[in-house]
Amino acid sequence: MNFSSDNTTPMSPSILTAIGEANKGFQSSYGSDDYSSQLQEAFSTLFEREVHVFLTNTGTAANSLALSALVRPYESILCSQEAHVFTDECGAPELYTGGSQLITVDGAFGKINPKALERQIEISEAIRPHKQKPGCVSITQATEAGTVYSVEEIQTIAQCCREHNLPLHMDGARFANALVSLGVSPSELTWKSGVDVLTFGATKNGAMCAEAVIFFNPTYAEDFDYLHKRSGQLMSKMRFFSCQFLAYLENDLWIENAQHANAMAISLASAFNRNQTPIINPVQANEVFVSLPAKVASYLEEQGAGFYSWGHVDECMYRFVTTWCTTEKEIIAFESLLEKALKS
Amino acid sequence: MNFSSDNTTPMSPSILTAIGEANKGFQSSYGSDDYSSQLQEAFSTLFEREVHVFLTNTGTAANSLALSALVRPYESILCSQEAHVFTDECGAPELYTGGSQLITVDGAFGKINPKALERQIEISEAIRPHKQKPGCVSITQATEAGTVYSVEEIQTIAQCCREHNLPLHMDGARFANALVSLGVSPSELTWKSGVDVLTFGATKNGAMCAEAVIFFNPTYAEDFDYLHKRSGQLMSKMRFFSCQFLAYLENDLWIENAQHANAMAISLASAFNRNQTPIINPVQANEVFVSLPAKVASYLEEQGAGFYSWGHVDECMYRFVTTWCTTEKEIIAFESLLEKALKS
Amino acid sequence: MNFSSDNTTPMSPSILTAIGEANKGFQSSYGSDDYSSQLQEAFSTLFEREVHVFLTNTGTAANSLALSALVRPYESILCSQEAHVFTDECGAPELYTGGSQLITVDGAFGKINPKALERQIEISEAIRPHKQKPGCVSITQATEAGTVYSVEEIQTIAQCCREHNLPLHMDGARFANALVSLGVSPSELTWKSGVDVLTFGATKNGAMCAEAVIFFNPTYAEDFDYLHKRSGQLMSKMRFFSCQFLAYLENDLWIENAQHANAMAISLASAFNRNQTPIINPVQANEVFVSLPAKVASYLEEQGAGFYSWGHVDECMYRFVTTWCTTEKEIIAFESLLEKALKS
Amino acid sequence: MNFSSDNTTPMSPSILTAIGEANKGFQSSYGSDDYSSQLQEAFSTLFEREVHVFLTNTGTAANSLALSALVRPYESILCSQEAHVFTDECGAPELYTGGSQLITVDGAFGKINPKALERQIEISEAIRPHKQKPGCVSITQATEAGTVYSVEEIQTIAQCCREHNLPLHMDGARFANALVSLGVSPSELTWKSGVDVLTFGATKNGAMCAEAVIFFNPTYAEDFDYLHKRSGQLMSKMRFFSCQFLAYLENDLWIENAQHANAMAISLASAFNRNQTPIINPVQANEVFVSLPAKVASYLEEQGAGFYSWGHVDECMYRFVTTWCTTEKEIIAFESLLEKALKS
């Protein structure tokens, strides 16, 4: 009953196989290998246009690097106050960008509200140069609240970006979960809706260690090889990272993994519903946020259920994450534990 | 006949096996897994004292992170002008440290001369605060010139460091090659000789992707978890990186790989000697630097030999790297090619 | 009727005289002059203990430099969401500190609430190392809302700082206004209440260009000469800045100027009161914040009254600043204008 | 007999007068005052084209800010190894630019050699992205060695810059001294010869505290107000800095001051020549570098002569600076002291 994080899962067997197959003979280093070339093509095919792809070892690095291509140090990054870049990256965006300020924009369920965005931009511009220049907007898809922006919502934000000449970044650490939730194509969810650069995560959804920065707008990619190297992210044996993505995309492994994880979240939410446990956010991807009495939460943990408390400890809010490994059996077991916990 | 770089090699089979074995079930993320705990112990045993270990995905990140724990942004890093941190990391040390200046110290064969070091420190201190405060010393073992500092040489530099209250960093991207070259123990080569922090590389010598920052002085490790996370280097599925190191150390795989690579370098150097090709630096690890007429170099490349030109192109200096994969057969084939090239 | 900013005032005549007197013969550069030595003593006398003083040309530089001595780049600065460092310094704190995050703490009237501070620290510490380490607390005295922390309020915040081992910074751009408002001594308002470093502003209150960073805790001052130089703030002809402070402190010029400015604020507030204009914040220093219909504000501006709109334009909030130059006559004239504006 | 530094001088009387005259009534803050507007025009007239001017309080800040507008953090700044930005600014260029590396280019007498520049650019570009991208070139006029680039020399360097698409920065801390030495116009010495941005210093040559960043290429000035503010350099009472420059340019005060200082250097050099003291660099501005036995130097200092040792102390190299305040009488007195010193 491990619902603590999608980062605790192993990798999908076919990705391990791919690593083994890539382990043959010499390959040029620093991304000049065959696998990395193939990957550029695979991603271009996937997104139905030429894209520029750079790999990193963590989502934090991918986000921060992407942002560093979009903003200058005197510019700000507008994001939700629940954005991973704002709450959980220990200053990596500030480091990579040279000191940009992350300015939070109000909104519900982990999203940013377009009107609040417009207002925040105006406030900054009104006191130029005393406040940082708005530099870009960053949205998270799926959000850290387990919700998903609709295509229309993205387009509305992108429209505001265009009017203010701001590039739009999408943190897609759980891009696959959002994609299958909406049932749209990768291109519809990104550049066709106005996204300029995407952080495309695979680690949480079945890879060993594979995160990509994908540029739809080639302008931002121009000098990115320098930023990539300068951040210590240009891996010498890049083949072992590119091959993971190739296997991830092959035969829609990524789609299947995400579909399973999302289905398990629905299943888990039903279990909570059946037990009158308040679900805080709409369940649209692979995360379920609930309110639980502190005692109940403690009991569940003692009995071996893995999950995290969310926000300040006295808020009694808890996050449950389902993954490509989660089984129906686990959920059934958890539900019976929950019943016991609530009774006692 | 690939002598271009130790980064073009595959990983040792037992490391691939270890990755496969680590791919079982859930493991806590961000370094709280079993493999990472074992690794702390394994390294402490190896170095005969308690050490603090943090993993990264590149040597550039490992070096830059290590340095960021040693210096403040207004301090300088004293290193050889051939140091990788100075020549080949595209500003990563400057990024991670917040703008420290790398100040080069004279010396032969990729090493820094202790007297030149002393002088450089004095020059800086004389004009406080107009020049950065000397902040640490960084040496490379084996050096970028394919040479190795003797234990005595390290101790002399460490003595100078102590007198000026400067920590000593060792870039050990090719630590194994230096170790087997000298025939000393890991502790003798490091903390017993005055090294405070070591960048311990495994990628070039048989791993897939595994670099470690090892602190012998616990003071510098105190807040390093923040620096590690902030740089985007705290990998979520850390088990897959820790397990590489465990396999690397087990049964002295790392020692065997390095011994082989070094032996191949001696063998290659002999081939050059037999053909009157001037060898520029003493061959003490797994690299051979030679002078070749530009035409000869071109011919060799056309015939499929892989190696790099070094420095400015008109200097006609070339680097040949041998690895754990290099075979005697390759060297024999190369020698006969060289003979042909020199004749024509 | 200029109530736009205390930065629009000339300098006090005696400060101009002091500059003229300092303009004689050679003086050592970079702060080794006689005036700068005297200033160290003058400030030590004023604060009843040995202090370390460094001068800058702007309050932004003084704040950012002070903070850069207190926090490492992976640490956060806890401050009010109305703090100048958060809202109006265009990333200078982020630049000087190497990317620290400014985290806002709730509170009323421009102050931070000690309980909210405690909570914010706990939230950060709970997810180490994913969130920046709390690094220091910064309060503004007088606040940007024209209010003043009582000595007890400062002590409560300082107590929380001590418990978490965090240094306390005070942005005293309007320190004089706060001091005379409370009627306490400089030492009581600072180190005796737990302040470690003070940004002591004089420019707004009668100087030409003179801001100081004053360290009560010598530890933080140890390498500050490097930070000072590195930021481009070590002025070559420092005598001309030190002499301003000497004249500022002499014969209590600073006290008199601040008393006058504060008295004018009370007088202006009375004028608003007499005209039923809602005053938003308690008037405790030299600023008055009011709500005005947009039309009234426009009329006042057209008729030559100088003041600023505050926050987003549709909030209809306005700031009026009184200074050492403001006259009763101006306030009388303004009141009659206000009456007209409200009638029309 | 103070030849230690031009920073030890007072300000010219007419500049003090200008400050007094500017001290009347209210003026808009942050550079929106009348004096600052006039200054934009005055500089545009002086340089015979529209320029964009921003003031700072130190030459270090002016240089670092100018460079921060020209390079991205992953780019390098190519300069002489005697450049002030490389040797004496304690990391300010690294801070302001976000970590650019200063790469030194060989050359004699404090200048950079155009061929060495070309070579350094090629070396960097050959290993993209492992070495920083060449980002701009910075030359010092007059140099730190007391020499002056001819117009032709500047044009040759600018030509190389254009070919590699690199902007050209001129550090003109002693611009006036170079200008009068060459007898050319400000425009000929700068934009007509290919300079994109100039650090125009006045402090050393008669101002109290006045340094300017002057953009000839408006592209670089576009967002410079943000960089200016972010660095803590946007002074609130800017009038007091703009008025210094107005007085500095008026009636050619700056030209007269520099002519005097340069003439005094020639006079001092003659004194050294008459005493067989080796002069190290050509005397082309207001500095004289000589070799002196350590004992002689000590004697001179004991007898009250002010000057600095240059480089490492055992090199016995000394710098003598003449200024707008230096008198013939001082030089005569110094010569007689020198005679005594050499005899004993």
Side-chain angles (χ1 to χ4, degrees):
Chain A
M1 291 179 298
N2 188 328
F3 305 108
S4 60
S5 166
D6 18 24
N7 289 320
T8 62
T9 56
M11 67 180 117
S12 284
S14 61
I15 287 181
L16 177 59
T17 304
I19 291 173
E21 277 167 15
N23 196 39
K24 283 172 187 144
F26 292 100
Q27 281 286 342
S28 288
S29 52
Y30 297 120
S32 304
D33 60 280
D34 300 339
Y35 302 90
S36 299
S37 308
Q38 280 175 47
L39 186 60
Q40 296 285 341
E41 281 172 45
F43 269 125
S44 294
T45 303
L46 183 71
F47 283 101
E48 303 171 57
R49 66 172 291 166
E50 201 194 14
V51 299
H52 294 82
V53 182
F54 298 83
L55 304 190
T56 73
N57 66 334
T58 64
T60 293
N63 281 335
S64 301
L65 256 175
L67 294 171
S68 77
L70 303 185
V71 298
R72 300 290 305 268
Y74 55 83
E75 294 180 324
S76 57
I77 298 156
L78 298 153
C79 64
S80 160
Q81 65 181 3
E82 301 191 38
H84 202 261
V85 290
F86 184 69
T87 62
D88 279 272
E89 301 191 346
C90 196
E94 287 87 348
L95 171 66
Y96 280 60
T97 61
S100 294
Q101 190 177 27
L102 294 154
I103 297 185
T104 58
V105 176
D106 289 342
F109 301 131
K111 301 181 189 175
I112 62 179
N113 178 297
K115 279 188 190 146
L117 174 60
E118 184 71 39
R119 189 182 168 89
Q120 192 56 263
I121 295 169
E122 281 168 16
I123 288 175
S124 291
E125 290 180 345
I127 53 168
R128 173 172 184 167
H130 297 272
K131 187 73 189 165
Q132 283 93 333
K133 186 180 179 182
C136 78
V137 175
S138 178
I139 57 177
T140 310
Q141 179 75 319
T143 73
E144 293 294 319
T147 60
V148 170
Y149 283 95
S150 71
V151 167
E152 293 69 32
E153 286 175 319
I154 296 169
Q155 287 170 347
T156 306
I157 289 168
Q159 176 62 20
C160 172
C161 287
R162 259 193 306 281
E163 282 163 14
H164 291 279
N165 205 20
L166 302 177
L168 179 56
H169 166 251
M170 179 180 277
D171 174 358
R174 294 190 181 91
F175 183 74
N177 304 93
L179 190 88
V180 303
S181 175
L182 291 168
V184 296
S185 74
S187 63
E188 284 169 316
L189 199 50
T190 55
W191 63 272
K192 286 185 182 167
S193 297
V195 173
D196 294 289
V197 56
L198 171 69
T199 297
F200 185 100
T203 311
K204 290 180 196 294
N205 190 39
M208 181 187 94
C209 172
E211 304 288 318
V213 178
I214 301 181
F215 289 98
F216 304 112
N217 184 331
T219 308
Y220 299 116
E222 218 170 276
D223 273 355
F224 198 73
D225 54 336
Y226 287 108
L227 288 169
H228 193 220
K229 173 66 191 173
R230 184 179 84 114
S231 68
Q233 287 290 336
L234 180 59
M235 290 168 283
S236 55
K237 298 183 175 176
M238 192 65 89
R239 56 168 136 173
F240 295 114
F241 297 87
S242 294
C243 75
Q244 292 181 57
F245 268 116
L246 290 171
Y248 184 68
L249 298 179
E250 208 173 67
N251 301 323
D252 283 346
L253 171 64
W254 68 304
I255 299 293
E256 277 170 32
N257 279 358
Q259 279 170 337
H260 179 81
N262 285 11
M264 290 299 100
I266 297 294
S267 183
L268 181 61
S270 303
F272 280 121
N273 276 331
R274 280 188 293 271
N275 286 278
Q276 285 77 45
T277 299
I279 294 179
I280 297 167
N281 303 330
V283 177
Q284 299 173 337
N286 66 323
E287 296 182 297
V288 184
F289 291 81
V290 298
S291 283
L292 282 176
K295 277 186 186 174
V296 172
S298 295
Y299 178 85
L300 291 170
E301 279 177 328
E302 282 156 22
Q303 298 298 317
F307 57 93
Y308 279 130
S309 133
W310 212 242
H312 195 263
V313 72
D314 62 23
E315 294 174 89
C316 293
M317 201 152 76
Y318 301 92
R319 184 190 78 166
F320 292 76
V321 184
T322 55
T323 74
W324 69 274
C325 295
T326 306
T327 60
E328 270 297 351
K329 218 169 131 187
E330 270 183 297
I331 289 173
I332 290 164
F334 176 76
E335 184 168 5
S336 85
L337 191 63
L338 179 65
E339 280 165 18
K340 267 190 229 164
L342 291 165
K343 272 179 202 152
S344 63
Chain B
M1 288 178 300
N2 188 328
F3 305 109
S4 58
S5 166
D6 19 23
N7 289 319
T8 62
T9 55
M11 66 180 118
S12 284
S14 60
I15 287 181
L16 178 59
T17 303
I19 291 173
E21 278 168 12
N23 196 39
K24 286 174 185 141
F26 291 100
Q27 281 285 341
S28 289
S29 51
Y30 297 120
S32 304
D33 60 279
D34 300 339
Y35 302 89
S36 299
S37 308
Q38 279 175 45
L39 186 60
Q40 296 285 341
E41 281 172 45
F43 268 126
S44 293
T45 304
L46 183 70
F47 283 101
E48 303 172 59
R49 65 171 292 165
E50 200 194 15
V51 298
H52 294 83
V53 182
F54 298 83
L55 305 191
T56 73
N57 65 334
T58 64
T60 293
N63 281 335
S64 301
L65 257 176
L67 294 171
S68 75
L70 304 186
V71 298
R72 299 292 303 267
Y74 54 82
E75 294 180 323
S76 58
I77 299 157
L78 298 153
C79 65
S80 160
Q81 66 181 2
E82 301 190 40
H84 202 262
V85 290
F86 184 70
T87 62
D88 279 270
E89 301 190 347
C90 197
E94 287 87 349
L95 171 65
Y96 280 60
T97 60
S100 294
Q101 190 178 28
L102 294 154
I103 297 184
T104 58
V105 176
D106 289 341
F109 303 130
K111 301 181 189 175
I112 61 179
N113 178 299
K115 278 187 190 148
L117 174 60
E118 184 71 39
R119 188 181 168 90
Q120 192 57 264
I121 294 169
E122 282 169 16
I123 287 174
S124 292
E125 291 181 342
I127 54 168
R128 172 172 186 167
H130 297 272
K131 188 73 190 163
Q132 283 93 333
K133 186 179 178 183
C136 78
V137 174
S138 178
I139 58 176
T140 311
Q141 178 77 315
T143 74
E144 293 295 318
T147 59
V148 170
Y149 283 95
S150 71
V151 166
E152 293 67 32
E153 285 174 320
I154 295 169
Q155 287 170 346
T156 307
I157 289 168
Q159 177 61 22
C160 172
C161 287
R162 259 192 306 281
E163 282 163 14
H164 293 278
N165 205 20
L166 301 176
L168 179 56
H169 166 250
M170 178 180 279
D171 173 357
R174 295 191 180 89
F175 183 74
N177 304 93
L179 189 88
V180 302
S181 175
L182 292 168
V184 297
S185 74
S187 63
E188 284 169 317
L189 200 50
T190 54
W191 64 272
K192 285 184 181 167
S193 296
V195 173
D196 294 288
V197 55
L198 170 69
T199 297
F200 185 99
T203 311
K204 290 181 197 294
N205 190 41
M208 181 188 93
C209 172
E211 304 288 318
V213 178
I214 301 180
F215 289 98
F216 304 112
N217 184 332
T219 309
Y220 299 115
E222 219 170 275
D223 274 354
F224 198 73
D225 54 337
Y226 287 108
L227 288 169
H228 193 220
K229 172 66 190 171
R230 184 179 84 112
S231 67
Q233 288 290 336
L234 180 59
M235 290 169 282
S236 54
K237 298 184 175 175
M238 192 65 89
R239 57 168 134 171
F240 295 115
F241 297 86
S242 294
C243 75
Q244 291 181 58
F245 268 115
L246 290 171
Y248 184 69
L249 299 178
E250 207 173 69
N251 300 324
D252 282 346
L253 171 63
W254 68 303
I255 298 294
E256 277 171 32
N257 279 357
Q259 279 170 338
H260 179 80
N262 285 11
M264 291 298 101
I266 297 294
S267 183
L268 181 62
S270 303
F272 280 120
N273 275 331
R274 280 188 294 271
N275 286 277
Q276 286 74 47
T277 299
I279 293 179
I280 297 167
N281 303 330
V283 177
Q284 299 172 338
N286 67 322
E287 296 182 300
V288 185
F289 291 81
V290 298
S291 283
L292 282 176
K295 278 185 188 175
V296 172
S298 296
Y299 178 87
L300 291 169
E301 280 176 329
E302 282 156 22
Q303 300 297 317
F307 56 94
Y308 281 130
S309 132
W310 213 241
H312 195 265
V313 72
D314 62 21
E315 293 173 90
C316 294
M317 202 152 74
Y318 301 92
R319 185 191 77 165
F320 291 76
V321 184
T322 55
T323 74
W324 68 275
C325 295
T326 305
T327 61
E328 268 297 351
K329 220 170 131 186
E330 271 183 297
I331 288 172
I332 291 163
F334 176 76
E335 183 167 6
S336 85
L337 191 63
L338 179 66
E339 281 166 17
K340 267 190 233 165
L342 291 166
K343 272 179 202 152
S344 63
Chain C
M1 288 179 297
N2 189 327
F3 305 109
S4 59
S5 167
D6 20 23
N7 289 319
T8 61
T9 55
M11 65 181 120
S12 285
S14 60
I15 288 182
L16 177 59
T17 303
I19 292 173
E21 277 168 14
N23 196 38
K24 284 173 186 142
F26 291 100
Q27 281 286 340
S28 288
S29 52
Y30 297 121
S32 304
D33 60 278
D34 300 339
Y35 301 90
S36 299
S37 310
Q38 280 175 44
L39 187 60
Q40 296 286 342
E41 281 171 47
F43 269 126
S44 294
T45 304
L46 183 70
F47 283 101
E48 303 171 58
R49 66 171 291 167
E50 200 194 15
V51 298
H52 294 82
V53 182
F54 297 84
L55 304 192
T56 73
N57 65 332
T58 65
T60 293
N63 281 335
S64 301
L65 257 176
L67 293 171
S68 76
L70 303 186
V71 298
R72 299 291 302 266
Y74 55 83
E75 295 181 323
S76 57
I77 299 156
L78 298 152
C79 64
S80 161
Q81 64 180 5
E82 300 189 40
H84 201 262
V85 290
F86 184 68
T87 62
D88 280 88
E89 300 191 348
C90 196
E94 287 88 347
L95 170 66
Y96 279 61
T97 61
S100 295
Q101 190 177 27
L102 294 154
I103 297 184
T104 58
V105 176
D106 289 342
F109 302 130
K111 302 182 189 176
I112 62 179
N113 177 299
K115 278 186 189 147
L117 174 61
E118 185 70 39
R119 189 181 167 91
Q120 192 56 263
I121 294 169
E122 281 169 15
I123 287 175
S124 291
E125 289 180 344
I127 54 168
R128 172 171 184 165
H130 297 272
K131 188 73 190 165
Q132 284 92 332
K133 186 178 178 182
C136 78
V137 175
S138 178
I139 57 176
T140 311
Q141 178 77 318
T143 74
E144 293 294 319
T147 60
V148 170
Y149 283 95
S150 71
V151 166
E152 291 69 31
E153 285 174 319
I154 296 169
Q155 286 170 346
T156 306
I157 289 169
Q159 176 62 20
C160 172
C161 287
R162 258 193 306 282
E163 282 162 15
H164 292 277
N165 205 20
L166 302 176
L168 179 57
H169 166 250
M170 178 180 278
D171 173 358
R174 294 191 181 90
F175 183 75
N177 303 94
L179 190 88
V180 303
S181 174
L182 292 168
V184 296
S185 74
S187 63
E188 283 169 316
L189 199 51
T190 56
W191 65 272
K192 285 185 181 165
S193 297
V195 173
D196 294 290
V197 56
L198 170 70
T199 298
F200 185 99
T203 311
K204 289 181 196 295
N205 190 39
M208 180 187 94
C209 172
E211 304 287 318
V213 178
I214 300 180
F215 289 99
F216 303 113
N217 183 331
T219 308
Y220 299 115
E222 219 170 276
D223 273 354
F224 197 74
D225 54 337
Y226 286 109
L227 288 169
H228 193 221
K229 172 65 191 173
R230 184 179 84 113
S231 68
Q233 287 290 337
L234 180 57
M235 291 169 282
S236 55
K237 298 184 175 174
M238 192 65 90
R239 57 167 135 171
F240 294 114
F241 297 87
S242 294
C243 76
Q244 291 181 58
F245 268 116
L246 290 171
Y248 184 68
L249 299 179
E250 207 173 69
N251 300 324
D252 282 345
L253 170 64
W254 68 303
I255 298 294
E256 276 171 33
N257 280 357
Q259 279 169 336
H260 179 80
N262 285 12
M264 290 298 101
I266 296 295
S267 182
L268 180 62
S270 303
F272 279 121
N273 276 332
R274 279 188 295 270
N275 286 278
Q276 283 78 43
T277 298
I279 293 179
I280 298 168
N281 303 329
V283 177
Q284 298 173 337
N286 65 322
E287 297 182 297
V288 184
F289 290 81
V290 297
S291 283
L292 282 176
K295 277 187 188 174
V296 173
S298 295
Y299 178 87
L300 292 170
E301 279 176 330
E302 282 156 22
Q303 299 298 317
F307 57 93
Y308 280 129
S309 132
W310 212 243
H312 195 265
V313 71
D314 63 21
E315 294 174 89
C316 294
M317 202 152 75
Y318 301 92
R319 185 190 76 166
F320 291 75
V321 184
T322 55
T323 73
W324 68 276
C325 295
T326 306
T327 59
E328 268 297 351
K329 217 171 133 186
E330 270 183 296
I331 289 173
I332 291 164
F334 176 76
E335 185 168 5
S336 83
L337 192 62
L338 178 65
E339 281 165 17
K340 268 190 231 165
L342 290 167
K343 272 179 202 152
S344 63
Chain D
M1 290 180 296
N2 189 327
F3 305 108
S4 59
S5 167
D6 18 24
N7 289 319
T8 61
T9 56
M11 66 180 118
S12 284
S14 61
I15 288 182
L16 177 59
T17 303
I19 291 173
E21 277 166 15
N23 196 38
K24 282 168 188 150
F26 291 99
Q27 280 286 339
S28 288
S29 53
Y30 297 121
S32 304
D33 61 279
D34 300 339
Y35 301 90
S36 299
S37 308
Q38 280 175 46
L39 186 60
Q40 295 285 342
E41 281 172 47
F43 268 126
S44 293
T45 303
L46 183 70
F47 283 101
E48 303 171 59
R49 67 171 290 166
E50 201 195 14
V51 298
H52 294 82
V53 182
F54 297 84
L55 304 191
T56 73
N57 65 333
T58 64
T60 292
N63 281 334
S64 300
L65 257 175
L67 294 170
S68 76
L70 303 185
V71 299
R72 298 292 302 268
Y74 54 85
E75 295 182 322
S76 58
I77 298 157
L78 299 153
C79 64
S80 160
Q81 65 180 4
E82 300 190 39
H84 202 261
V85 290
F86 184 70
T87 61
D88 279 271
E89 300 191 348
C90 197
E94 288 86 348
L95 170 66
Y96 279 61
T97 61
S100 294
Q101 190 177 27
L102 295 154
I103 298 184
T104 58
V105 176
D106 289 341
F109 302 130
K111 301 181 189 177
I112 62 179
N113 178 299
K115 279 188 189 146
L117 174 60
E118 185 70 40
R119 189 183 169 89
Q120 192 56 263
I121 294 169
E122 282 169 15
I123 287 175
S124 291
E125 290 182 343
I127 54 168
R128 172 172 185 166
H130 297 272
K131 186 73 190 166
Q132 284 92 332
K133 186 179 180 182
C136 78
V137 175
S138 178
I139 57 176
T140 310
Q141 179 76 322
T143 74
E144 293 294 320
T147 60
V148 171
Y149 283 96
S150 71
V151 166
E152 292 69 33
E153 286 174 319
I154 296 169
Q155 287 170 346
T156 306
I157 289 168
Q159 177 60 21
C160 173
C161 288
R162 260 192 306 280
E163 281 162 15
H164 292 278
N165 205 21
L166 301 176
L168 179 56
H169 166 250
M170 178 180 278
D171 173 358
R174 293 191 182 91
F175 183 74
N177 303 94
L179 189 89
V180 302
S181 175
L182 291 168
V184 296
S185 74
S187 64
E188 285 170 315
L189 198 52
T190 57
W191 64 272
K192 285 185 180 166
S193 297
V195 173
D196 294 289
V197 55
L198 170 69
T199 297
F200 185 100
T203 312
K204 289 181 196 296
N205 190 39
M208 180 187 94
C209 172
E211 303 288 317
V213 178
I214 300 180
F215 289 98
F216 303 112
N217 184 331
T219 309
Y220 299 115
E222 219 170 274
D223 273 355
F224 198 74
D225 54 337
Y226 287 109
L227 288 169
H228 193 219
K229 172 65 190 173
R230 184 178 84 113
S231 68
Q233 287 290 337
L234 180 58
M235 290 169 282
S236 54
K237 298 184 176 175
M238 192 65 89
R239 57 168 135 173
F240 294 115
F241 297 86
S242 294
C243 75
Q244 291 181 57
F245 268 116
L246 289 171
Y248 184 67
L249 299 178
E250 207 173 69
N251 301 324
D252 283 346
L253 170 64
W254 68 304
I255 298 293
E256 276 170 33
N257 280 358
Q259 279 170 338
H260 179 81
N262 286 12
M264 290 298 101
I266 296 294
S267 182
L268 180 62
S270 303
F272 280 120
N273 276 331
R274 278 188 294 272
N275 287 278
Q276 285 77 45
T277 300
I279 293 178
I280 297 168
N281 303 329
V283 177
Q284 298 173 338
N286 66 321
E287 297 181 299
V288 184
F289 291 81
V290 296
S291 284
L292 283 176
K295 277 186 188 173
V296 172
S298 295
Y299 179 87
L300 291 171
E301 280 175 328
E302 282 156 22
Q303 299 298 317
F307 56 94
Y308 279 129
S309 133
W310 212 242
H312 194 265
V313 71
D314 62 21
E315 293 174 89
C316 294
M317 202 152 76
Y318 301 91
R319 185 191 78 166
F320 292 76
V321 184
T322 54
T323 73
W324 68 274
C325 294
T326 306
T327 59
E328 270 296 350
K329 217 169 134 187
E330 270 183 297
I331 289 172
I332 291 164
F334 175 76
E335 185 168 4
S336 85
L337 191 62
L338 178 65
E339 280 165 19
K340 267 190 230 165
L342 290 167
K343 271 178 202 153
S344 64

